Structures are given as structure tokens and as C-alpha cells.
Amino acid sequence: MLKKFTFFGMALGLFFTAHAQEIKPRGYFSKDSLKVGEVVDYTLIIDYPRGMEVLFPDSSFTFTPFEYLSRSFVNTASNLTSSHDSVVYQLATYELDSVQHLAMPIFLITNGDSTAIKAPSDSILLQLVLTAETDSVAIKDTTQYQEVDKAFNYPYLFIGLGIFLLVVVLLLVIFGKQLRTRLKLYRLRKSHEKFVAKFGQIQSQGLLSAHQAEHLLGYWKKYLERLDGMPYTKLTTKEIVTIGDNKDFKDTLRSMDSNIYGQYNAPTVDQLSSKLKQF
């Protein structure tokens, strides 16, 4: 059985070796001429028996006199007996030879060994931008001052930003608590000024009805709730007066409640609202 496999492997190797002699890769440039540094496409094509393994050169290949930039593949096209592969290489040259040649190989893999088959050499002309002899070119001197824009010093910018951020961090570490306290006091003061202005505006419109008085009391409760965190808007007057031991505060709130939900007296409510504002 081992002899049969050995014989089959040898026969398969002979088959691919025989076909390797018939495989003729083709390579050509996409145009007839180029300039120094200009990108040109070089297409490498091969047709080979289906089932054979072939490798194309990659970026590690020496493309002298050209420089490798990139490559793009075309999907393998196969029929019952053969396959067709091609790769397009993007190259550039910086050599000054008027005619430059390139012949790239295809590698056939058989029994773990590779056989290189080169495509026929293709040539391309180099277009020289400077056509005159340099020795004959007259160079004109000028001593006039030409002002140019100054380059921005980015390293100094980054150093300055780094120092600024370091100073900010140190200030926050040293004075952070004081700054937070001052910010909190500033916000409290602004909130209080807004409350006093709004409360006075509602008062000035006239507390002529229980509905208006109730609206003013609700605004007062909302501000007090934000101030100390107690849920005054959800508490009844009976529940609120149990908080603290200020008798005048309790009497004022009870009287306000009696006027809103009992016999309404506008002058009395106005006086009571002023007391609430003071509290």
C-alpha cells in the first residue's frame, strides 16, 4: 500500500514538473513611460493546471530598479482543467536610467519545493523633466530679502500646555476644598436671589385668592426643599410643623393653611407670606 502512495506521489510530481515547463507567466507595465517618483502598475499573470499551487512575490521581493508600494489581487478564475491568477503591483522608480526593465518570477510549489519561473522582461521609458544640460543653464543671483513665514514652535506649545495643566492640578490639590466651598456658596447666593425676586414678584401681583396664596406657598416649599433636602412639597402642614421647635414659624404656617383652606383674608395672607419669606 505504501508503495502505491509513493508511486502516486512520484507520478503527481512528474505531472506537475512536466506542466511547469509549459507554464509561461506574463508581466507588463500599464504604460510605456513614467517620470521619477511616479506610480506605475505592473501586472503579473499566470495560467496553470488546476490543483497546482503557485505563489506570487510579496513585499519582501527585490523589485530593483523599482520601489514596491502596494499590490492588489484578482480572484482566481478556474475551469475544469486550468486556473488563471493575476496580481497588480504598484511601483515607483527613483533611478535615472532612460530605459528600465523588470522580469518578475512565479513560484510553483511541488512536493514542498518551489520552482521559480520568470516572466519575459518588460521595459519602460523614463521621462526626464530637466532636459537641458545643467552646465549650460545660466543661474541668476539675487540678494533681495525674501520674507518667509515663521514656523510655529509646537514643542514650546506642548511644554507650555503641560506646565499650565500641572499648575491647575496643583491649585486644585492645594485650594480645591476652598474653591468648591466658594462655588457652592456662590450657587446658594444666586439661588436665594432668584427665590427672593420670584417670591416678591408673586406677592406684588396681589394675593387676592386662595389659589394664588396656595401657588405662593408651593413655590416657598420647593425652594426650602432644595435648600435642606427635606420633602416639604410632599408633606402636609401638620407634618411640617413637627420639624424643629420654632413656635412663630409653626403659628405662621398654620395660619397660612387656615386662610387657604378656610375663610380667606387677603391682608392677613399678605402679612403671613412676608413672614414665610423671612423664614
Side-chain angles (χ1 to χ4, degrees):
M1 191 70 175
L2 181 59
K3 290 180 179 180
K4 288 182 180 180
F5 280 113
T6 303
F7 174 76
F8 176 74
M10 292 175 63
L12 188 62
L14 290 172
F15 171 77
F16 283 135
T17 302
H19 279 75
Q21 299 174 358
E22 302 174 3
I23 296 173
K24 302 294 183 183
R26 306 182 303 280
Y28 59 88
F29 290 103
S30 60
K31 51 188 176 181
D32 298 328
S33 61
L34 81 165
K35 299 176 184 178
V36 174
E38 185 179 357
V39 179
V40 65
D41 289 343
Y42 177 87
T43 304
L44 188 58
I45 304 172
I46 185 172
D47 295 302
Y48 56 96
R50 184 171 181 176
M52 181 178 287
E53 186 179 359
V54 298
L55 293 178
F56 284 80
D58 59 12
S59 58
S60 62
F61 181 77
T62 302
F63 292 84
T64 308
F66 296 90
E67 298 287 339
Y68 171 84
L69 300 177
S70 62
R71 59 178 174 169
S72 57
F73 297 90
V74 178
N75 292 333
T76 302
S78 300
N79 55 30
L80 294 176
T81 59
S82 63
S83 296
H84 175 89
D85 271 324
S86 63
V87 176
V88 180
Y89 296 88
Q90 285 74 48
L91 309 174
T93 183
Y94 299 94
E95 301 294 333
L96 299 180
D97 296 335
S98 58
V99 181
Q100 300 186 19
H101 303 267
L102 183 63
M104 291 184 61
I106 296 288
F107 299 95
L108 306 180
I109 309 300
T110 55
N111 297 327
D113 294 328
S114 64
T115 303
I117 303 177
K118 274 191 176 184
S121 177
D122 192 27
S123 61
I124 191 169
L125 299 176
L126 183 69
Q127 295 179 3
L128 296 177
V129 178
L130 184 63
T131 57
E133 294 292 337
T134 56
D135 294 339
S136 64
V137 176
I139 299 176
K140 184 179 180 181
D141 294 334
T142 177
T143 57
Q144 294 180 355
Y145 174 74
Q146 299 292 326
E147 185 176 358
V148 297
D149 294 333
K150 295 181 180 180
F152 189 79
N153 199 324
Y154 285 99
Y156 282 3
L157 172 64
F158 296 141
I159 292 173
L161 288 175
I163 294 174
F164 173 75
L165 290 175
L166 181 61
V167 171
V168 170
V169 171
L170 289 176
L171 288 176
L172 289 176
V173 171
I174 298 173
F175 303 105
K177 187 175 180 179
Q178 296 179 21
L179 291 173
R180 286 192 296 271
T181 301
R182 290 190 177 186
L183 180 61
K184 188 174 182 180
L185 289 173
Y186 172 80
R187 288 176 176 173
L188 284 171
R189 184 167 61 252
K190 286 296 181 181
S191 178
H192 181 70
E193 291 173 356
K194 182 180 178 181
F195 162 74
V196 170
K198 180 70 173 179
F199 197 94
Q201 181 183 359
I202 297 173
Q203 276 185 307
S204 64
Q205 293 173 354
L207 302 174
L208 304 177
S209 67
H211 176 73
Q212 291 175 320
E214 187 177 19
H215 174 64
L216 181 67
L217 183 62
Y219 181 70
W220 177 82
K221 287 182 178 180
K222 285 181 180 179
Y223 174 70
L224 206 61
E225 187 173 283
R226 291 197 306 271
L227 202 60
D228 63 10
M230 293 293 292
Y232 291 103
T233 57
K234 299 178 180 62
L235 299 176
T236 62
T237 299
K238 186 177 180 180
E239 292 171 328
I240 294 175
V241 296
T242 60
I243 302 172
D245 53 1
N246 189 326
K247 185 178 182 300
D248 193 22
F249 169 75
K250 295 177 181 181
D251 292 342
T252 301
L253 199 57
R254 287 194 186 99
S255 298
M256 190 76 171
D257 203 44
S258 298
N259 274 272
I260 293 174
Y261 301 107
Q263 187 175 0
Y264 188 77
N265 186 302
T268 302
V269 169
D270 188 61
Q271 294 177 1
L272 293 172
S273 64
S274 296
K275 284 189 175 183
L276 287 178
K277 183 179 177 180
Q278 293 174 6
F279 290 133

